[in-house]
Amino acid sequence: MDTRAIALPGLPMCDRTLALNHPVVRRYFEALNSENFETVAGLFAERGTLQPPFEEVIVGRKAICAYLKTEADGIKAIPYRESQQPKSAGNRTLQVNGEVQTPLFGVNACWTFTLNASSKITNVTIELLASPQDLLNLQQFR
């Protein structure tokens, strides 16, 4: 398995390289953090889906790209750990735990990636890992 680290600009050197094993997942985070949303969307299958927290499912590359341009500008996703689930029906599921940084706050998050046999993303589900009270406290920043 190919293990390379991704560089995260703006973080202290000791925190800048985080290993991700799957090349598509690594490219997702690199492109997302570079705000190259067209590249991110291109990693998805034609009818791939993105399930952001507290939002409706976004379906299709064009819709995913448009959503990211609107909602992910200025956000950094910092992956800490990747784990792989057993394959089922030709699909691979990977879970990545990390943090989402905005200009105002950071919150722990979990991304669950489902990739098809062609290594295209069929779904990404993003969960925020915070207590209900923590999330309510973040409302003041919106």
Side-chain angles (χ1 to χ4, degrees), residues 58-68:
I58 314 301
V59 180
R61 293 178 184 153
K62 287 182 182 180
I64 290 169
C65 185
Y67 173 82
L68 292 173

Side-chain angles (χ1 to χ4, degrees), residues 31-65:
L32 185 67
N33 288 331
S34 298
E35 297 183 3
N36 188 343
F37 303 128
E38 292 84 8
T39 297
V40 174
L43 297 171
F44 282 79
E46 188 64 38
R47 300 282 302 153
T49 59
L50 174 68
Q51 176 62 66
F54 316 115
E55 305 261 351
E56 295 293 320
V57 174
I58 314 301
V59 180
R61 293 178 184 153
K62 287 182 182 180
I64 290 169
C65 185

Side-chain angles (χ1 to χ4, degrees), residues 115-138:
L115 292 92
N116 64 21
S118 301
S119 290
K120 287 291 189 180
I121 299 171
T122 58
N123 182 65
V124 174
T125 300
I126 306 165
E127 297 175 78
L128 300 181
L129 304 177
S131 72
Q133 185 60 48
D134 291 337
L135 294 174
L136 286 173
N137 291 339
L138 294 177

Side-chain angles (χ1 to χ4, degrees), residues 70-135:
T70 302
E71 299 295 329
D73 189 38
I75 291 176
K76 297 296 179 209
I78 305 166
Y80 295 146
R81 182 179 57 240
E82 175 187 307
S83 61
Q84 185 169 315
Q85 308 299 317
K87 283 187 179 183
S88 67
N91 291 327
R92 173 178 287 171
T93 302
L94 298 113
Q95 190 171 14
V96 176
N97 290 84
E99 184 177 342
V100 173
Q101 284 283 325
T102 75
L104 298 173
F105 62 88
V107 63
N108 290 327
C110 176
W111 293 262
T112 302
F113 291 83
T114 304
L115 292 92
N116 64 21
S118 301
S119 290
K120 287 291 189 180
I121 299 171
T122 58
N123 182 65
V124 174
T125 300
I126 306 165
E127 297 175 78
L128 300 181
L129 304 177
S131 72
Q133 185 60 48
D134 291 337
L135 294 174

